[in-house]
Amino acid sequence: MKRNIGVIITLVAAVFWGFSGTCAQYIFDNFDADPTYLTAVRLLAAGLILVIIGLFTDRKNMISIWTDRTSALRLIIFSVTGFLFCQLTYMKAISYSNSGTATILQYLGPVLIMIVSCFLARKLPKRKEVCAIIMALIGVFFIATHGRIDTMVITPLGLSWGLWSAVALMLYTMLPGKIIDKYGSITVTGYGMLMGGIILCIGCGIWNAPMVYDIRCIIAFIAIVLFGTILPFTMYLVGVNRCGAVKASMLASIEPVAATVFMVVWLRVPLQIMDIVGFMCIFVTIFLLTKKESQVSEEGSLQT
């Protein structure tokens, strides 16, 4: 029963993440919003809320992380190269393409993680990993060209920002290292988002951003903060606790599906057959890599 509840909670969290991406596309399509300004305010608002929650629920770690110079420096670097870079590239990708395509392209991150891990370990990728790389490349080809070498159906900026978001996801996953284990996810995520938001607000000159008073835009933005950060983050942690990190990560990979469904049903964005083919290729890639992780985890648990 506990595991089943964990599965449901994790799936709902992934759906919320997909919904928040579609909310961002709704804002870009209808209110001519700048993705940099939107990312800056989102990070600042979500980070502030998480820091306040952290100070009430985990005050010791929220304070002690600043007493360790190495951990504090790692946190500051992570806030820029992790949260800021990851969120900004994703929002840029949505603004130049759509939420479904941007989310799918971002999920190439696990492929890059695998490649970098093989490089650092000085070993060649295994057959399954090579298949994952090939499927990922085929998926990107179909999404970008619809199978025609002489045609680009996605804008170059949409494709480039989508690929950069995959790089950002890799950095976001690999950079924090032991500080999450030592100080907890809320501490690292809250401070990371808050500092990333402050830095981006200053860098983009948020005080020059045009004010939007349309209630629809405000509601969509609140949905991005709540359903894209606070609620799914908390629910995902509960899901990890109840059904395990590996299974939770596999369940969370339905986020691209959710983003695509919301995009088609709510925003009426047409989806071509070749888009579906490309999406399926990348889903196969995610499955191959997460299945490998699951097998490793099971082997490890048997040995212990």
Side-chain angles (χ1 to χ4, degrees):
M1 185 67 178
K2 177 181 178 181
R3 178 166 293 186
N4 291 337
I5 294 175
V7 168
I8 294 172
I9 290 174
T10 306
L11 289 173
V12 173
V15 171
F16 281 168
W17 273 319
F19 175 66
S20 71
T22 310
C23 287
Q25 183 181 344
Y26 174 78
I27 291 176
F28 296 142
D29 290 347
N30 293 278
F31 302 100
D32 195 28
D34 188 307
T36 304
Y37 291 145
L38 180 62
T39 304
V41 178
R42 176 199 180 180
L43 285 174
L44 188 65
L48 184 61
I49 294 172
L50 282 176
V51 166
I52 293 173
I53 293 173
L55 289 173
F56 278 101
T57 60
D58 195 11
R59 189 179 187 87
K60 180 181 177 181
N61 282 327
M62 294 292 288
I63 295 174
S64 62
I65 192 171
W66 297 109
T67 62
D68 184 335
R69 185 175 300 177
T70 302
S71 296
L73 180 61
R74 186 187 290 264
L75 176 61
I76 293 171
I77 294 173
F78 177 57
S79 69
V80 177
T81 56
F83 277 108
L84 193 160
F85 187 39
C86 189
Q87 293 295 323
L88 181 59
T89 53
Y90 179 58
M91 288 295 176
K92 288 277 192 180
I94 292 176
S95 68
Y96 287 111
S97 58
N98 56 64
S99 57
T101 300
T103 308
I104 283 289
L105 291 175
Q106 188 181 55
Y107 266 74
L108 292 171
V111 179
L112 299 180
I113 293 172
M114 180 267 295
I115 294 173
V116 171
S117 298
C118 288
F119 175 78
L120 294 176
R122 297 182 179 180
K123 67 176 184 179
L124 293 174
K126 297 179 181 179
R127 183 180 301 175
K128 185 181 293 185
E129 294 169 336
V130 172
C131 290
I133 294 172
I134 294 172
M135 292 300 294
L137 293 174
I138 293 174
V140 172
F141 170 75
F142 278 115
I143 291 171
T145 69
H146 282 185
R148 297 179 58 182
I149 299 177
D150 59 337
T151 303
M152 278 282 287
V153 296
I154 184 174
T155 65
L157 284 173
L159 179 60
S160 61
W161 280 115
L163 296 177
W164 274 117
S165 72
V167 174
L169 182 61
M170 175 195 69
L171 295 174
Y172 170 82
T173 304
M174 300 185 74
L175 279 179
K178 296 180 179 179
I179 59 172
I180 288 183
D181 295 332
K182 187 175 181 180
Y183 298 102
S185 298
I186 289 183
T187 299
V188 175
T189 303
Y191 280 135
M193 284 190 169
L194 181 60
M195 289 189 293
I198 292 172
I199 292 170
L200 190 56
C201 282
I202 296 173
C204 72
I206 194 66
W207 48 88
N208 294 321
M211 296 297 293
V212 178
Y213 298 100
D214 192 296
I215 188 63
R216 296 171 299 169
C217 181
I218 295 173
I219 292 174
F221 174 74
I222 293 173
I224 291 173
V225 174
L226 292 179
F227 296 109
T229 307
I230 307 301
L231 288 178
F233 169 74
T234 305
M235 295 172 71
Y236 183 75
L237 289 182
V238 174
V240 169
N241 181 56
R242 289 177 176 268
C243 63
V246 174
K247 189 166 187 178
S249 65
M250 294 177 69
L251 293 168
S253 64
I254 74 158
E255 179 190 349
V257 179
T260 302
V261 171
F262 282 121
M263 177 189 72
V264 173
V265 175
W266 176 24
L267 303 184
R268 308 295 183 185
V269 175
L271 199 63
Q272 304 297 324
I273 294 297
M274 288 301 175
D275 290 320
I276 298 175
V277 172
F279 288 7
M280 292 304 300
C281 288
I282 295 178
F283 287 145
V284 171
T285 298
I286 298 170
F287 173 77
L288 288 173
L289 295 178
T290 52
K291 185 179 181 182
K292 173 181 177 294
E293 292 175 1
S294 179
Q295 290 173 342
V296 172
S297 176
E298 290 172 1
E299 290 171 2
S301 62
L302 288 174
Q303 290 172 354
T304 57

